[in-house]
Amino acid sequence: MMSSSTAGSNPPQKSFGVTSAISHAGPKPRDLELTKRLEEALIPYGVFESEDELQQRMIVLAKLNELVKEWIVEVSIKKKMPENVAKTVGGKIFTFGSFILGVHTKGADTLLVAPHHIDRADFFSSFYDLLKNHPDVRELRAVENAFVPVIKLIFCDIEVDLLFARLASPEIPDNLDLLDENLLKNLDPKCVRSLNGCRVTDEILRQVPNIESFRLTLNAVKLWAKKHGVYSNVLGFLGGVSWAMLVARTCQLYPNAAASTLLQKFFLVFSRWEWPNPVLLKNIPTPSENKLGFKNWDPRTNPGDRYHLMPIITPAYPQQNSTFNVSMSTRKIMCDEFFIGLKNTEDVISGKANWDRLFTPPNFFHKYRHYIVLSASSNTEEEHLEWIGLVESKVRLLISYLENNEYIKLAHVNPKSYGPLDSEGEKHVTRWFIGLMFEKLENVNINLTYEIQMFKNKVHAQAVKIMMFKEGMVTEAKHVRRYCK
């Protein structure tokens, strides 16, 4: 899992990224030893997928792919296509995200690519019904109104997020190359966003000089981010692809470094990064180079892009900011964690600590004196899956309302959610905790009723609008104070 590249009088190396490398130095024996220890330290956390687990995942994805092909044939025939033609139009499942990046995860990000006569309405109706009646499917829910529409499910005990894209082509060959920009012609924005899940993952791997070192470093960064509560795109932190792009940029700046060095440089680079300067893996096309006319992230031409707080720009066309949800609070929390991570990695490299220190989680419930306890409850397990998905997707709105309160300095949501208390038995309830840091003011009675009620109204209105709301779906939020001895 480590690079054996060494520095020397070699021919000029291929350049990666939008600037030249900071250092082309290769690893020293001490770096390789630290990389070996890093890999060993990661093993107990289960970040590496075993051969058996990989084979099981491949079997499950193949089974899902066959299900997709059968469904496309069935829908094609129902749309008056001759059966012999319907069996040749193709359609397939692509995987992307952590699985392709080589980072172990319990789930699978997948994309169903269909020919032009199969549309999104078919996906969310007949294919959803097919999954609903399948014996190997559980915890099925459709999120049709999301920015990137998705069906979420557990298939043969593997969590699957399934996106959909309909191409303009009448057939989908098995050797389809999704990086071909011509595929985007005449597609609607939702299909383009769905396709970009795969396209971005593939492009990230093309932009790093050493994939092996990249993967080991990314495994470590993802574990650190989860342990330190800064891994969640929906709650305003960074998701897997954003963390991957930060690691990829570090690899570009230190193309021959071992993973142990890359991990320390990761914290060094981003503890000093001057946000909102964007992180780019490749240059953004100029307007004259944008032949297909899709909107790229570009503050020079799009005024709204100038207000993004922590832009990390995807490398596949059309290039977008993957961190749109980041708030002032979540950026401050992540920047603080970068500094702590730098100190911890420097201590490891100097021999003052071992790698486990980096992955030791802080105690969120000792960090603040004030918290908001946000609860979402409903009547049935099936309704609760939908309800908590909606509530969680809106938590960042509550954070923004709290940030706008003149007395609140920081609002820190813990990405970990909690189920019912023992005393609540079989009740369907999920809770999130938000730590609050107030401005230092004396004799001020802070009332958060307005912010909380505004959030509850927003969630309820959205549930009604998308026809999700059921009797018994309730959100509650309470301001509590930690008892200090």
Side-chain angles (χ1 to χ4, degrees), residues 185-303:
K185 287 180 180 177
N186 304 315
L187 297 192
D188 68 65
K190 288 184 177 179
C191 283
V192 173
R193 289 195 287 268
S194 295
L195 281 168
N196 258 13
C198 290
R199 288 165 49 78
V200 166
T201 303
D202 291 346
E203 191 62 51
I204 289 172
L205 291 177
R206 289 176 55 170
Q207 295 298 320
V208 296
N210 185 314
I211 291 176
E212 207 172 5
S213 294
F214 163 77
R215 283 176 168 158
L216 181 53
T217 309
L218 180 57
N219 266 305
V221 167
K222 286 187 68 171
L223 177 63
W224 163 82
K226 290 174 181 177
K227 292 292 185 182
H228 284 253
V230 289
Y231 190 101
S232 174
N233 179 57
V234 71
L235 292 175
F237 295 104
L238 305 190
V241 170
S242 297
W243 288 118
M245 287 190 284
L246 293 189
V247 173
R249 185 66 185 124
T250 308
C251 292
Q252 291 179 339
L253 294 171
Y254 301 90
N256 298 319
S260 58
T261 305
L262 288 169
L263 188 54
Q264 186 265 338
K265 297 301 185 186
F266 168 86
F267 291 110
L268 175 66
V269 169
F270 294 108
S271 64
R272 296 181 179 180
W273 197 269
E274 295 183 357
W275 305 105
N277 288 325
V279 175
L280 297 164
L281 297 183
K282 58 190 288 191
N283 285 313
I284 298 169
T286 63
S288 63
E289 295 170 327
N290 187 354
K291 303 299 183 186
L292 296 180
F294 288 106
K295 185 178 177 182
N296 280 306
W297 184 89
D298 192 342
R300 297 169 299 184
T301 56
N302 308 321

Side-chain angles (χ1 to χ4, degrees), residues 147-213:
F147 186 66
V148 182
V150 60
I151 289 178
K152 293 176 173 283
L153 67 150
I154 295 179
F155 185 64
C156 299
D157 297 323
I158 289 182
E159 294 177 24
V160 176
D161 280 5
L162 182 56
L163 311 182
F164 175 85
R166 166 202 192 188
L167 299 189
S169 171
E171 296 180 358
I172 306 298
D174 281 339
N175 63 350
L176 182 68
D177 178 11
L178 293 183
L179 281 176
D180 182 0
E181 289 184 7
N182 290 316
L183 292 177
L184 305 179
K185 287 180 180 177
N186 304 315
L187 297 192
D188 68 65
K190 288 184 177 179
C191 283
V192 173
R193 289 195 287 268
S194 295
L195 281 168
N196 258 13
C198 290
R199 288 165 49 78
V200 166
T201 303
D202 291 346
E203 191 62 51
I204 289 172
L205 291 177
R206 289 176 55 170
Q207 295 298 320
V208 296
N210 185 314
I211 291 176
E212 207 172 5
S213 294

